[in-house]
Amino acid sequence: KTLLLTLCIFMMVMTIYGWKAGKTTEEIYQAFAKDGFISPTLETFEGKRGIVVRSANTTLFSDKSHKPAYYVEGTSYQQGYLMGLIATEETNAMCTTYIEHELADLIDEDFDEKHKDEAWYEVLLSLLRDLIVNGAIHSFENDAASFPQHLLDEMKGLVDGVKSKLGSKSGVTFERLVTLNYGIDFLLAHVYAGKLKVALDAYLQTQKRIVVSTAIRQRIDQAFAEERFIKEPVMCDSFTTKNHLNRDPSKIYFARDFQQPNGMIFQKVAGMIVHVPEDNGIPFVGVGAPGMVGAITALNAKGVAIGVDIIRSALVNPEHPGVNSIFLVRHIGQFATSTRDAIQRVASLKRGCSWLYPISDATGDSVIIESGRYEEHQTNPLDVVTNKVVKSILPNEDTLKTYPSPWLKGIYYRDFNFTQPQVILGYNRNLFSLAQVDYPEQGWGNLDFTFTTYTQENMKTASLLNNWFPAQRQWSHDYIICANHALTPQMRVAQMSNMANFITRTQHASSYRYDSLNKLIFDHKGTIDLEKAKYIISFLAPDRTPGYFHHYYDPTNVMTAAVEGAITVCELTERVMATKTGYFIDDWTQISLMNYLS
């Protein structure tokens, strides 16, 4: 009876997840070889395998090193331990050098240049770094029950795996892994809520060892009151195409770019990681770096793909930032069996920071989740709009309720069939007038651009801020696009808060990027395949959008600008993922997930 029960449970798991482990080591090596990777290094732990390989042909421009890919299997703890064995130095660097430099990448360049030699500025940076590390840890510990256990177990495995190699020289601690994977959610939840300074003041009161002079404290207070110095990596985009927009109508293409701070390390160690969980969940391949238990993008064996893009809104909970961004992508990638299942799973997580989540599956079902904080009851988004003049122009609460935007526990979401209420665009004329910005009469059609260049948008949104409604472009129901703004009227209104607007001047042309992708998909309709999807999502490359990225490793070659984060394309029916990290001049690497699974 026990054996029969075990077999029944096994068959149920196979029915739900449709996979089983069992590839030999040689078969895994062959799978890597088919994807262009060579020189495998194998580590084992408790009978499970971790493998790191290097691309045969794709190298990092800066040092000519061959780009990595990784494979781990087993329980969550075993996967973490194995990652610590096969990427020891890389994980250590992400937990030390990356964390040290990440904050610098989040400071506005003009602000940094203006104040870099002033004593109070160095104190501010030091205090913010301490807050992000120690504040995030304290917040995480208070909310530990909100986080899926498999994430905690994998982080514990990582700590032990690296320590087994480096001993007391290891810089990898559970607390640093929390900062690496959760620190950005902690920071942004406080920024969007307007409580970053409150958190800093509270932190200083508990840290008697930190002594700040009255003069420096006053200058820091002035900076918070008068200057915009937090810069987000707001340059994220995604699209999905299906049916006759593609060269082969049976294919589904999911493409995205995610811009995040490289922190001097990410571009050197980032790659795709194949996870084969043997305790729970679905095998998947994720884009990230050693130490990032979360993922920037994930594609699983059921054909579900998910990414994450920044969105500023006041629908946050800084007291309980919860499970968001790369942690959420990892969790959904490991467990979602379909797009609709993913929606339910995202809604159920205790989230406290706003993000966008593009999700698609192999049937072609796709959504953009416009996520705010977890809520049992829907908040009136007008409550966060503090500018009374702006609020007087916007639709009232009763009118907002008439706009059909699906809502579930704090998330709004839109799919291929979502249609933006045209009446919402009618509010723009008065909003543009209030900001003293010329209203573009012809900027609202399905193939139009509200702003003709990214520089024009940056200039005009310095006055507009988030206080206007970008247009949905939809000339077919076979594609969906996401940039860094909401299209559901309710979430867009929630972007019009004081603090969401506080850092909006660091925004980089979200509407222009959305409109550019829309036009590119139209121009290439019927011809889109994996290579064409790569071309479309790489539209910001320096040789195609000059000046957008302008920090060049080689000043004589614009294509040596760093890819800040990763650009990724997935074909969902075949479960293929291709990604570009490092520099725009670098080539792509690719993983065919199903070749690694029995």
Side-chain angles (χ1 to χ4, degrees):
K1 290 181 179 179
T2 302
L3 178 60
L4 181 61
L5 179 61
T6 301
L7 287 172
C8 288
I9 293 172
F10 176 78
M11 291 306 297
M12 288 173 62
V13 172
M14 292 304 104
T15 299
I16 295 171
Y17 295 120
W19 67 276
K20 59 180 180 178
K23 285 284 188 181
T24 67
T25 301
E26 184 58 35
E27 287 173 329
I28 296 172
Y29 289 170
Q30 290 173 5
F32 274 124
K34 289 179 181 178
D35 285 329
F37 292 96
I38 59 173
S39 306
T41 298
L42 172 69
E43 294 278 2
T44 61
F45 174 66
E46 296 181 346
K48 305 304 178 183
R49 297 164 298 184
I51 300 169
V52 59
V53 291
R54 296 285 169 176
S55 174
N57 301 307
T58 302
T59 58
L60 185 71
F61 177 80
S62 60
D63 63 12
K64 310 308 176 190
S65 60
H66 291 255
K67 294 196 175 182
Y70 310 89
Y71 170 99
V72 289
E73 64 185 18
T75 65
S76 299
Y77 178 85
Q78 289 167 339
Q79 290 176 71
Y81 197 100
L82 287 164
M83 200 68 197
L85 295 182
I86 63 175
T88 307
E89 295 297 340
E90 293 86 348
T91 306
N92 202 59
M94 287 293 292
C95 284
T96 52
T97 304
Y98 181 85
I99 289 175
E100 181 71 17
H101 290 90
E102 180 185 22
L103 177 63
D105 287 346
L106 293 172
I107 299 296
D108 180 74
E109 293 175 3
D110 292 338
F111 182 86
D112 179 73
E113 183 63 28
K114 179 179 179 181
H115 300 298
K116 63 182 181 181
D117 296 325
E118 299 173 23
W120 71 269
Y121 179 52
E122 287 302 317
V123 174
L124 172 63
L125 291 183
S126 178
L127 291 175
L128 286 176
R129 191 176 292 111
D130 279 354
L131 173 66
I132 294 172
V133 173
N134 297 305
I137 292 166
H138 180 70
S139 170
F140 185 88
E141 289 173 345
N142 286 344
D143 262 355
S146 299
F147 292 86
Q149 187 62 42
H150 70 98
L151 300 174
L152 309 182
D153 291 343
E154 189 167 325
M155 288 195 290
K156 292 173 184 175
L158 259 172
V159 173
D160 293 344
V162 173
K163 189 175 182 179
S164 73
K165 285 287 192 77
L166 297 183
S168 61
K169 295 181 180 179
S170 173
V172 180
T173 64
F174 189 85
E175 290 75 18
R176 284 185 171 270
L177 289 175
V178 167
T179 302
L180 182 60
N181 288 275
Y182 172 75
I184 190 69
D185 295 319
F186 172 82
L187 173 65
L188 294 183
H190 282 82
V191 170
Y192 297 159
K195 293 187 176 180
L196 182 60
K197 185 175 183 301
V198 173
L200 184 60
D201 289 343
Y203 175 70
L204 283 174
Q205 287 182 0
T206 65
Q207 302 297 311
K208 303 303 182 184
R209 62 183 176 80
I210 301 176
V211 179
V212 180
S213 71
T214 301
I216 287 180
R217 186 72 176 267
Q218 289 174 344
R219 184 61 186 87
I220 290 175
D221 291 346
Q222 181 184 350
F224 272 98
E226 299 176 1
E227 302 187 70
R228 302 166 187 258
F229 59 85
I230 296 294
K231 175 190 73 174
E232 293 176 290
V234 188
M235 299 168 248
C236 313
D237 311 281
S238 74
F239 71 84
T240 296
T241 59
K242 64 177 183 177
N243 293 338
H244 294 286
L245 294 185
N246 298 332
R247 186 180 300 278
D248 179 347
S250 70
K251 304 295 186 184
I252 309 293
Y253 293 103
F254 173 91
R256 63 182 313 274
D257 57 2
F258 180 76
Q259 310 302 327
Q260 70 165 46
N262 277 331
M264 296 183 67
I265 292 296
F266 182 86
Q267 77 274 22
K268 298 179 181 180
V269 302
M272 289 173 286
I273 307 170
V274 177
H275 288 264
V276 183
E278 295 182 8
D279 48 354
N280 55 9
I282 306 167
F284 70 96
V285 55
V287 178
M292 290 176 64
V293 172
I296 292 172
T297 308
L299 166 65
N300 73 25
K302 297 297 286 186
V304 178
I306 177 172
V308 57
D309 295 344
I310 273 182
I311 183 173
R312 306 179 186 88
S313 103
L315 298 182
V316 296
N317 184 352
E319 284 72 35
H320 303 282
V323 185
N324 315 273
S325 64
I326 63 173
F327 264 161
L328 187 147
V329 169
R330 163 62 189 274
H331 180 68
I332 299 303
Q334 185 168 331
F335 288 95
T337 58
S338 68
T339 294
R340 297 297 144 173
D341 181 44
I343 293 171
Q344 296 295 324
R345 290 179 182 275
V346 172
S348 70
L349 292 169
K350 297 300 189 290
R351 309 168 317 280
C353 190
S354 57
W355 291 89
L356 298 169
Y357 300 101
I359 306 173
S360 298
D361 67 27
T363 71
D365 189 14
S366 300
V367 298
I368 307 298
I369 289 179
E370 301 177 351
S371 174
R373 63 184 174 235
Y374 177 92
E375 295 178 335
E376 290 289 345
H377 304 287
Q378 190 171 0
T379 295
N380 174 14
L382 289 165
D383 290 345
V384 305
V385 182
T386 54
N387 186 316
K388 293 182 179 180
V389 180
V390 170
K391 193 171 184 175
S392 70
I393 297 173
L394 298 176
N396 61 33
E397 181 178 4
D398 290 337
T399 303
L400 271 179
K401 288 179 179 178
T402 67
Y403 302 146
S405 302
W407 180 91
L408 183 63
K409 294 184 178 178
I411 67 172
Y412 294 92
Y413 57 96
R414 55 185 176 89
D415 59 18
F416 285 117
N417 296 314
F418 170 82
T419 300
Q420 183 185 50
Q422 286 301 296
V423 66
I424 204 72
L425 299 180
Y427 293 91
N428 281 332
R429 188 179 296 275
N430 287 336
L431 290 167
F432 273 63
S433 176
L434 177 65
Q436 299 183 331
V437 173
D438 292 339
Y439 179 77
E441 297 287 350
Q442 307 303 317
W444 311 102
N446 277 336
L447 290 172
D448 288 339
F449 283 71
T450 302
F451 305 102
T452 56
T453 65
Y454 73 87
T455 53
Q456 183 192 59
E457 178 170 351
N458 288 340
M459 179 180 67
K460 293 195 173 185
T461 53
S463 300
L464 275 171
L465 306 177
N466 287 330
N467 303 328
W468 66 289
F469 293 96
Q472 178 192 18
R473 319 293 186 183
Q474 201 75 44
W475 44 265
S476 165
H477 290 296
D478 288 336
Y479 75 105
I480 193 167
I481 303 173
C482 176
N484 291 115
H485 57 269
L487 287 179
T488 62
Q490 296 86 345
M491 182 56 86
R492 182 57 182 179
V493 169
Q495 287 194 267
M496 299 180 188
S497 72
N498 181 53
M499 290 312 300
N501 275 327
F502 180 79
I503 52 176
T504 198
R505 293 184 187 180
T506 66
Q507 176 172 300
H508 233 55
S510 181
S511 177
Y512 175 80
R513 288 185 278 112
Y514 176 97
D515 294 346
S516 296
L517 281 177
N518 178 65
K519 184 62 164 57
L520 281 165
I521 293 169
F522 178 82
D523 290 344
H524 296 284
K525 61 183 183 297
T527 69
I528 297 173
D529 54 18
L530 190 69
E531 293 306 311
K532 188 60 64 69
K534 290 178 186 177
Y535 172 80
I536 292 172
I537 197 61
S538 302
F539 70 109
L540 295 176
D543 60 343
R544 294 171 60 191
T545 307
Y548 195 93
F549 293 103
H550 51 270
H551 296 297
Y552 312 123
Y553 189 88
D554 176 358
T556 67
N557 186 344
V558 297
M559 292 301 285
T560 64
V563 175
E564 297 175 359
I567 308 172
T568 305
V569 175
C570 301
E571 198 292 295
L572 305 188
T573 59
E574 299 284 341
R575 281 58 157 178
V576 174
M577 174 183 280
T579 195
K580 174 180 283 196
T581 57
Y583 300 87
F584 280 95
I585 199 172
D586 296 346
D587 206 350
W588 296 68
T589 53
Q590 181 171 305
I591 290 289
S592 299
L593 177 61
M594 302 312 289
N595 289 343
Y596 299 80
L597 311 174
S598 293

